[in-house]
Amino acid sequence: MEATKVIIDTVDRFRQRRTAPLVLELDLTEGLSDGPPSDPLSALLSMRKTSLTDVLSGLKRARKDSRVKALIVKIGTQPLGLAMVQDLRQAVTEFRAAGKLTVAFAETFGEFGAGTVPYYLGSAFERVYLQPSGDVGLTGVAMEQRFLRGALGKLGVEYQMGQRHEYKTAANTFTQDHMTDPHRESTGRITESVTEQIVAGVAEGRGLEPTKVRALIDEGPFIGAEAVEAGLVDRMAYRDEVYDEVKQAVGDDALLLYVGRYAKGPIAKKLPRPGEETVALVHGNGAIRLGRSGRSPLGGGSAMGSDTVCAALRAARRDEHVKAVVFRVDSPGGSYVASDAIWREVVLTRKAGKPIVVSMGDLAASGGYMVSMAADAIVAQPGTLTGSIGVFGGKAVISGLLEKIGVSSETVGEGANAGMFSSTNAFSEAQWARINAWLDRVYEDFVNKVAEGRGLSRERAHELAKGRVWTGADAHAHGLVDELGGLQDALALARGKAGLSADAPVRAYPRLSPLERLRPADSSEDRTAAMARVRLEAWGPLAHLAGELGLPSYGPLMLPGGWTIR
C-alpha cells in the first residue's frame, strides 16, 4: 500500500507541474550576462548568472502561454547598465500588456545611495513593493570626470597626447585640470537625454505627470513611507508578504519557476531542425583587441578579439542555413586595426546578400561604433552610449618621475626614431609630426567609413563625429542609428529583411559541440577558429586604471573613462 501511495503522489506532483499555473521569477541580485560565455573561464564564472537573451526570449514566449499568470522580479543592488534596463523594461511592458501580473520587489532602491536606474526598472511593473527598511534613491543622473594633470605633474609625469577632435576627451584627463567647453557640452547633453528618458518612463509606469516626476527627482532620496506617499511605491512589504499576495491573485497552487529555466525548458525554444533556415546571433563584448576574445583569470573584464569575431562572421556567412545575422555589440572600443578587421567582415557579410543587423548594448562607442556602422541596420536603446567617432594617441613621459626616485635610463638604438615610443623621452618635433599624421589618417578613415556606411556626406559625418558621445536617442535623431529598441527588435528586423517567418529560430554562432571545442581548427575558415580563450593580463583588475594612466591599453579608438550609466 505504501508503494502505491508513493506512486500516486509522484504522478500527482508530475501532473501538477505540467498543468498548474506558473509564476515566473527573475532574481537580479547578481545581475545579468549579455550573451553566452565566450570561454571556459567565463562559463565557470557565469554558471549561476542568467543571460539577458534567455530572459527576453522567455518573457516573449510567456506572453502567449496561458499557464503563465505572473512575473516577480527581485531588483538587487548589482548595477545594470541603462540599455540593459531598457531591454528589460520593454519586455516587462509587453508581458504586462498581455494581461499578466507584473510585480517588482526590492529590499531597497539604493541603501543610503543612488538608486535612480534600479527604480526606473521597477517603475515598469504593475506593482512595486519595497521592504519596510528600504529607501528609494531617486536622485537623478550625474556623470563625474576626474582630472589627473595636477597629481601627475607633482609626480614628475607629463603627457604628450593628441586627439581628433575637441569632443574626444580622453586626453583631457591627463592634459587638463577641468572640463573644456566641448567636454561639458557633450556630457551635459548625455545627462539631459538620460534624465528625459527616465522621467518619461517613470511617469508612464506610475501614472504620474512628467513635471511631477521631475520635481520628485529633485526631492529624493526618499524614505520608504515617503516613497509610498509620493506614489513611487505601492506598498512596503517583506518578501514573504509579496509572494503571498501574488499567490492569492493567481491561485495558491501556482508553481514558481525562474525565467531562465522556463526559457530553457524542453519545449521553450524552437530549435533549428536539420536544414532549417536560421538567424545567427554573434556576440561582441568588451574592449576590442587583436587576437582572440577572452578574459583574464585575474579580472579586468572580457575582450572582443578580432580573430574570434571575424571567424564567427565568416562562418555564419558561409553557412547556407544562416539567412541573416544579428551582431550584438557591447563595447567601449579599443584597437583601430582590430576594429577595422571586424568592420571588413561586416561589409563582406552584407555584400554576400545576408542581412546583418547590429543590436547595441549599453556601449557601442568609438571602435564599438566602427564595427557596427557598415551593417544593414543599427538598433540601439535610447540609453545606449554610442558615437565617439574619433581617435586619440600619445604617451606618458615619466623621466621626471624616474629622476625623483633616483632611477636613470639610457638607450642604445639604430634609427632616428627607434626609441620614439619610449616613456623616458618626449617626442621630438619630427616625431610629434608623425603622431599627428597618424591621428589625421585614422580619423579620416573612420569618418569616411561612417559617411559611406550611413549614407551621409563627409561634412555631415565629420559634424557628428569629432569624438562626441551620443545617447542612442540622440544618435537616432542624427541618423547614426536606424531604430530604437532592443535585441528582440533587432532579431525581428533581421528576420524581416531575410524574408523569414516571425518565429524563425535563432542560433548563437558559432555553436560548437564539446568535441569541436577540443579539437584544433583546421584553418581560419573553420568554425572552431571562433573559439575564445583565457588570457593572462599583466594588470588584472587594475587594467582600467593602467589604461587611464597611459600604460599599454587596448588602443586609440577607446571611449575614455567609465561611461556606463547605472
Side-chain angles (χ1 to χ4, degrees):
M1 292 294 293
E2 184 66 28
T4 302
K5 184 178 183 302
V6 170
I7 293 173
I8 293 174
D9 289 344
T10 302
V11 171
D12 286 343
R13 284 197 301 270
F14 181 74
R15 182 183 298 114
Q16 183 188 27
R17 293 189 65 86
R18 291 185 60 85
T19 61
L22 289 177
V23 174
L24 299 183
E25 285 187 286
L26 176 59
D27 188 344
L28 296 176
T29 302
E30 299 299 325
L32 293 175
S33 60
D34 192 345
S38 59
D39 57 82
L41 180 63
S42 298
L44 182 63
L45 295 176
S46 63
M47 282 180 63
R48 298 184 63 85
K49 183 176 283 190
T50 306
S51 76
L52 176 65
T53 305
D54 285 341
V55 171
L56 299 181
S57 62
L59 291 181
K60 180 182 178 181
R61 172 185 168 235
R63 296 202 307 261
K64 300 178 181 179
D65 188 343
S66 60
R67 284 189 66 200
V68 177
K69 304 299 183 184
L71 169 70
I72 302 176
V73 175
K74 179 185 178 185
I75 300 176
T77 57
Q78 181 72 24
L80 296 175
L82 180 60
M84 181 178 284
V85 163
Q86 290 175 334
D87 252 326
L88 290 172
R89 289 186 97 256
Q90 182 178 339
V92 168
T93 300
E94 292 170 351
F95 183 87
R96 181 176 172 180
K100 317 281 188 177
L101 175 63
T102 58
V103 173
F105 166 69
E107 291 154 333
T108 184
F109 292 104
E111 185 173 9
F112 199 70
T116 298
V117 173
Y119 178 75
Y120 171 55
L121 171 58
S123 68
F125 292 75
E126 182 179 341
R127 302 180 190 176
V128 181
Y129 294 90
L130 178 70
Q131 187 167 295
S133 54
D135 306 300
V136 176
L138 184 64
T139 57
V141 178
M143 300 181 73
E144 183 177 359
Q145 177 72 59
R146 291 182 175 85
F147 298 92
L148 306 176
R149 178 183 177 184
L152 294 172
K154 292 178 180 180
L155 295 173
V157 178
E158 296 181 1
Y159 275 82
Q160 287 185 293
M161 301 287 284
Q163 65 209 60
R164 299 294 184 272
H165 279 275
E166 63 266 30
Y167 294 102
K168 195 71 174 180
T169 57
N172 295 3
T173 302
F174 313 108
T175 61
Q176 304 289 332
D177 56 11
H178 64 283
M179 283 189 178
T180 62
D181 289 342
H183 192 169
R184 184 172 294 279
E185 176 194 348
S186 62
T187 305
R189 176 52 199 159
I190 290 171
T191 58
E192 182 181 38
S193 177
V194 170
T195 301
E196 291 168 357
Q197 296 166 38
I198 290 174
V199 167
V202 172
E204 181 180 5
R206 299 302 299 168
L208 301 170
E209 289 296 323
T211 52
K212 174 63 174 176
V213 176
R214 191 65 184 82
L216 288 172
I217 287 175
D218 291 335
E219 295 171 15
F222 297 90
I223 297 169
E226 297 171 338
V228 173
E229 184 179 353
L232 297 173
V233 171
D234 292 292
R235 192 165 81 83
M236 291 187 291
Y238 288 99
R239 179 193 179 280
D240 60 293
E241 296 173 313
V242 173
Y243 277 68
D244 285 345
E245 280 197 19
V246 172
K247 286 191 174 184
Q248 287 174 10
V250 303
D252 289 335
D253 60 337
L255 297 176
L256 294 173
L257 184 63
Y258 281 123
V259 176
R261 296 295 299 272
Y262 175 81
K264 293 179 178 179
I267 59 171
K269 296 182 179 180
K270 182 183 178 185
L271 297 175
R273 297 185 296 272
E276 188 173 19
E277 297 177 341
T278 66
V279 176
L281 177 58
V282 176
H283 284 268
N285 295 337
I288 302 170
R289 67 189 334 152
L290 292 166
R292 288 188 176 187
S293 299
R295 64 180 300 134
S296 169
L298 303 178
S302 60
M304 184 198 313
S306 57
D307 287 356
T308 300
V309 175
C310 287
L313 291 173
R314 277 196 300 270
R317 188 168 68 245
R318 295 171 185 275
D319 189 332
E320 61 181 9
H321 304 306
V322 171
K323 300 302 178 183
V325 178
V326 170
F327 183 18
R328 176 73 170 178
V329 178
D330 192 4
S331 171
S335 163
Y336 161 63
V337 176
S339 300
D340 190 42
I342 297 172
W343 169 86
R344 176 63 176 172
E345 293 297 334
V346 172
V347 169
L348 292 175
T349 302
R350 187 175 180 179
K351 285 183 176 180
K354 293 193 177 183
I356 179 166
V357 176
V358 164
S359 170
M360 291 182 167
D362 292 320
L363 289 170
S366 203
Y369 189 79
M370 188 176 200
V371 302
S372 305
M373 61 192 181
D376 288 277
I378 299 174
V379 180
Q381 287 288 7
T384 297
L385 293 182
T386 188
S388 193
I389 302 162
V391 60
F392 71 94
K395 68 177 181 179
V397 181
I398 63 171
S399 53
L401 172 61
L402 295 178
E403 184 178 345
K404 285 178 181 288
I405 61 176
V407 176
S408 59
S409 177
E410 293 187 12
T411 301
V412 176
E414 288 289 334
N417 297 319
M420 69 177 289
F421 294 108
S422 168
S423 59
T424 56
N425 297 302
F427 290 125
S428 67
E429 186 174 331
Q431 290 167 350
W432 186 242
R434 297 308 304 154
I435 294 296
N436 278 288
W438 177 81
L439 292 171
D440 289 336
R441 191 262 298 188
V442 173
Y443 182 76
E444 284 302 308
D445 183 52
F446 200 166
V447 170
N448 288 336
K449 285 174 176 172
V450 170
E452 177 186 358
R454 302 303 304 162
L456 303 170
S457 67
R458 192 270 174 202
E459 292 72 23
R460 178 58 177 161
H462 170 62
E463 189 63 28
L464 295 171
K466 300 182 181 179
R468 182 161 182 167
V469 181
W470 304 95
T471 62
D474 286 347
H476 178 251
H478 292 305
L480 294 175
V481 165
D482 294 290
E483 293 189 14
L484 294 178
L487 178 58
Q488 292 296 323
D489 298 297
L491 291 169
L493 185 59
R495 289 183 179 111
K497 287 182 175 293
L500 299 174
S501 64
D503 63 345
V506 177
R507 181 173 182 174
Y509 215 87
R511 185 184 294 270
L512 302 173
S513 68
L515 183 60
E516 287 176 311
R517 289 180 175 275
L518 291 174
R519 73 170 179 83
D522 293 331
S523 72
S524 59
E525 306 275 322
D526 192 346
R527 286 192 309 164
T528 59
M531 280 284 292
R533 65 171 181 170
V534 177
R535 307 176 64 107
L536 184 62
E537 304 292 348
W539 301 108
L542 302 179
H544 182 74
L545 176 62
E548 287 201 347
L549 293 176
L551 298 169
S553 189
Y554 294 119
L557 299 187
M558 186 64 133
L559 187 68
W563 283 83
T564 301
I565 297 172
R566 292 170 170 155

